[in-house]
Amino acid sequence: MLSEADPAEANAHADAWRKRDLAVLWHPCTQMREHPDTLPLVPVRRGRGVWLEGVDGRNYLDAVSSWWVNLFGHANPRIAAAIARQAGELEHVILAGFSHEPGMALAEELLALAPREADRPPLTKVFYADNGSAGVEVALKMAFHHFRNRGVEGRTRFIALHNGYHGETLGALSMGDIPLYRKIYAPLLLQPTFVPSPDAWDALPGEGAEACALRAAEALADVLAVQGGETCALILEPLVQCAGGMRMYHPAYLRRARELCDEHGVLLIADEIAVGFGRTGTMFACEQAGIQPDFLCLSKGLTGGFLPLAAVLTREEIYESFLDDSRERAFLHSHSYTGNPLACAAARETLAIFRDEPVLERNRATAARMAELAAPLAGHPNVAEVRQTGMILAIELVAERTSRKAFAPEQRAGLRAYRHAIAHGVVLRPLGDVLYWMPPYCIEDDALQQLATVTRGAIDAAVHVES
């Protein structure tokens, strides 16, 4: 834990920082009218491990890995040193017509780690982008363009899951089904076909998670039977729909979806931006279904939380469909910082930590401890469900447990929980009225116990309405 500062002096410094910030900054995913009073702004001066030190001198447990990106702790010395070494050699070079060791080596390492199926040609090519949304854009455009290059012009549609989320750029946003993000921009968006989510929350009475997933898969089969010949790709988040409330589903859906895509010649895009790199208990979530996608989208934890980078992995057949003397067949998609050497160096060191340390084994032990500490929360009268996949644990808050009646929006239950947690030194950023734990992998038991204690208080604060 980081050191405490003189409270009075630190609070004055923090207040001055907040005023300075709000004079010039527009924060992401925020109703700025709520600052500075309703939504407390927390200026951060440094981070170490799972802890953030505020300008106010207080320590905050980063229970959400700073939007799910941080794997091995803030200011991880190995990753920081790798970036520093690279910065002394080559900070950036255009990747069109040029190459560099960090970009080549990272691509080799990612392809060696990628999910594989015994009878399916492996993923062999990597295309870099700057962030998760940009990576999804790459996969969508490649899928469409691949068919056009093969002379198949009728495949212009996409299929996505209800309650899914794939980013905020227009193509990626089109594939999402969360009204809060999609509704206002609907006139600008592509119109995919949305199919039922395999989310186990939607299981019928007496129906298990696997049966629920297979029922949703049959709905996908019905859609593909009608429009399979018009569809480029199915895009989904394997195992966990993160921004949709950390909704979780059985891997049987992935297996059946892979079979259906093959049956209809549809490409499968696995958006593992949030769930990749050990979050679900395996290196990639697709491994738990034993499937290999046609496109694997990676970002967030790829650099250990240090720098923005995305990678889209795909098959040789798809790559070869772009090879021709014509520029029109080339994939003319670019970002200025594509394959940035600093980001690639950070990603390589992140993968080296996985090689050098028993990360997945430790994660499984940590996940078991998270489950143990969260188990008492399941009995709270305003908790409908505690669910978990690996190191992602979610707590669904409701106004009435038996009926699963949601809180009225004006009650701001999630905000109340957030405010309580921040006041007690824990960063919980609810998704609506869903609290979740998604901490860095280096979290230790004392911090987990603090997280559980503060979460219990946050639930009580969320459901208590002032008279």
Side-chain angles (χ1 to χ4, degrees):
M1 191 177 294
L2 305 175
S3 60
E4 298 281 347
D6 175 73
E9 181 180 346
N11 286 335
H13 187 37
D15 286 341
W17 193 313
R18 292 185 186 100
K19 291 177 182 177
R20 178 184 170 197
D21 175 290
L22 294 174
V24 294
L25 282 183
W26 191 342
H27 290 261
C29 204
T30 300
Q31 173 47 265
M32 292 300 295
R33 191 181 182 92
E34 296 182 336
H35 286 318
D37 299 322
T38 304
L39 187 66
L41 184 65
V42 183
V44 173
R45 128 169 81 202
R46 66 172 64 92
R48 293 292 185 276
V50 299
W51 299 99
L52 298 168
E53 181 182 341
V55 173
D56 59 6
R58 300 184 61 214
N59 297 297
Y60 298 89
L61 173 58
D62 186 359
V64 300
S65 295
S66 291
W67 253 340
W68 322 339
V69 301
N70 192 289
L71 301 188
F72 301 121
H74 294 282
N76 178 276
R78 287 188 57 170
I79 303 173
I83 294 170
R85 287 193 300 272
Q86 184 59 46
E89 297 294 329
L90 175 67
E91 81 299 336
H92 187 63
V93 64
I94 182 174
L95 203 61
F98 290 82
S99 182
H100 52 75
E101 176 65 19
M104 287 188 297
L106 176 59
E108 292 166 345
E109 292 164 11
L110 288 173
L111 293 169
L113 286 171
R116 293 190 179 184
E117 289 185 60
D119 299 326
R120 193 180 299 277
L123 303 177
T124 60
K125 289 294 188 291
V126 175
F127 193 99
Y128 291 123
D130 297 357
N131 57 71
S133 293
V136 169
E137 298 281 348
V138 166
L140 296 174
K141 290 174 68 176
M142 277 185 178
F144 167 78
H145 200 162
H146 164 69
F147 285 112
R148 291 294 292 263
N149 283 348
R150 290 176 54 195
V152 181
E153 298 193 1
R155 289 187 182 265
T156 59
R157 306 183 71 167
F158 292 92
I159 297 175
L161 303 188
H162 284 303
N163 196 51
Y165 175 88
H166 300 283
E168 299 292 345
T169 52
L170 289 180
L173 185 60
S174 296
M175 302 299 124
D177 182 49
I178 301 175
L180 179 64
Y181 305 114
R182 180 185 177 89
K183 184 178 179 181
I184 190 66
Y185 302 107
L188 306 179
L189 303 180
L190 301 172
Q191 298 300 320
T193 298
F194 290 107
V195 295
S197 168
D199 175 12
W201 174 262
D202 294 329
L204 300 173
E207 184 179 52
E210 183 172 7
C212 177
L214 292 174
R215 176 166 54 85
E218 290 315 300
L220 171 62
D222 291 341
V223 169
L224 285 170
V226 174
Q227 67 177 61
E230 304 170 4
T231 301
C232 299
L234 164 68
I235 184 170
L236 49 73
E237 302 159 273
L239 299 187
V240 186
Q241 293 184 301
C242 291
M246 298 297 173
R247 294 293 177 83
M248 302 173 184
Y249 64 89
H250 194 280
Y253 185 86
L254 296 175
R255 288 191 288 271
R256 182 63 178 137
R258 176 72 275 184
E259 293 170 357
L260 290 167
C261 286
D262 289 342
E263 181 181 333
H264 294 277
V266 171
L267 300 173
L268 176 60
I269 302 172
D271 175 353
E272 292 225 18
I273 290 163
V275 298
F277 301 107
R279 275 291 172 196
T280 66
T282 48
M283 192 66 171
F284 300 109
C286 284
E287 295 174 37
Q288 297 184 40
I291 65 133
Q292 175 187 309
D294 300 297
F295 295 94
L296 180 64
C297 298
L298 304 172
S299 190
K300 288 194 181 289
L302 175 57
T303 66
F306 274 70
L307 289 168
L309 180 68
V312 180
L313 283 58
T314 192
R315 296 187 287 108
E316 194 72 15
E317 176 192 1
I318 293 170
Y319 168 77
E320 289 181 352
S321 71
F322 288 82
L323 303 181
D324 189 77
D325 292 335
S326 168
R327 294 275 288 173
E328 290 184 0
R329 287 177 67 105
F331 191 58
L332 303 180
H333 180 103
S334 61
H335 297 273
S336 300
Y337 282 91
T338 295
N340 173 257
L342 298 175
C344 289
R348 290 195 67 204
E349 194 63 29
T350 297
L351 297 184
I353 293 172
F354 276 100
R355 288 194 303 271
D356 297 344
E357 301 178 18
V359 176
L360 297 179
E361 292 84 349
R362 285 202 308 253
N363 281 7
R364 286 189 278 270
T366 302
R369 181 59 172 151
M370 289 167 60
E372 180 182 4
L373 289 169
L377 302 178
H380 193 286
N382 295 99
V383 172
E385 182 178 62
V386 174
R387 53 184 175 267
Q388 184 176 7
T389 299
M391 285 193 64
I392 305 173
L393 187 145
I395 303 151
E396 187 97 22
L397 303 185
V398 291
E400 204 285 314
R401 178 191 181 98
T402 303
S403 66
R404 292 181 170 182
K405 178 184 176 183
F407 285 102
E410 60 269 20
Q411 288 185 252
R412 307 298 300 275
L415 176 62
R416 295 166 71 87
Y418 174 80
R419 288 171 59 92
H420 175 91
I422 282 290
H424 290 81
V426 173
V427 181
L428 288 177
R429 187 179 172 89
L431 296 160
D433 293 337
V434 176
L435 308 183
Y436 67 91
W437 300 349
M438 203 168 175
Y441 300 163
C442 58
I443 191 168
E444 296 182 350
D445 195 68
D446 58 346
L448 283 172
Q449 291 185 53
Q450 178 180 343
L451 175 57
T453 299
V454 171
T455 299
R456 176 66 192 228
I459 295 170
D460 290 337
V463 304
H464 176 71
V465 180
E466 299 289 346
S467 58

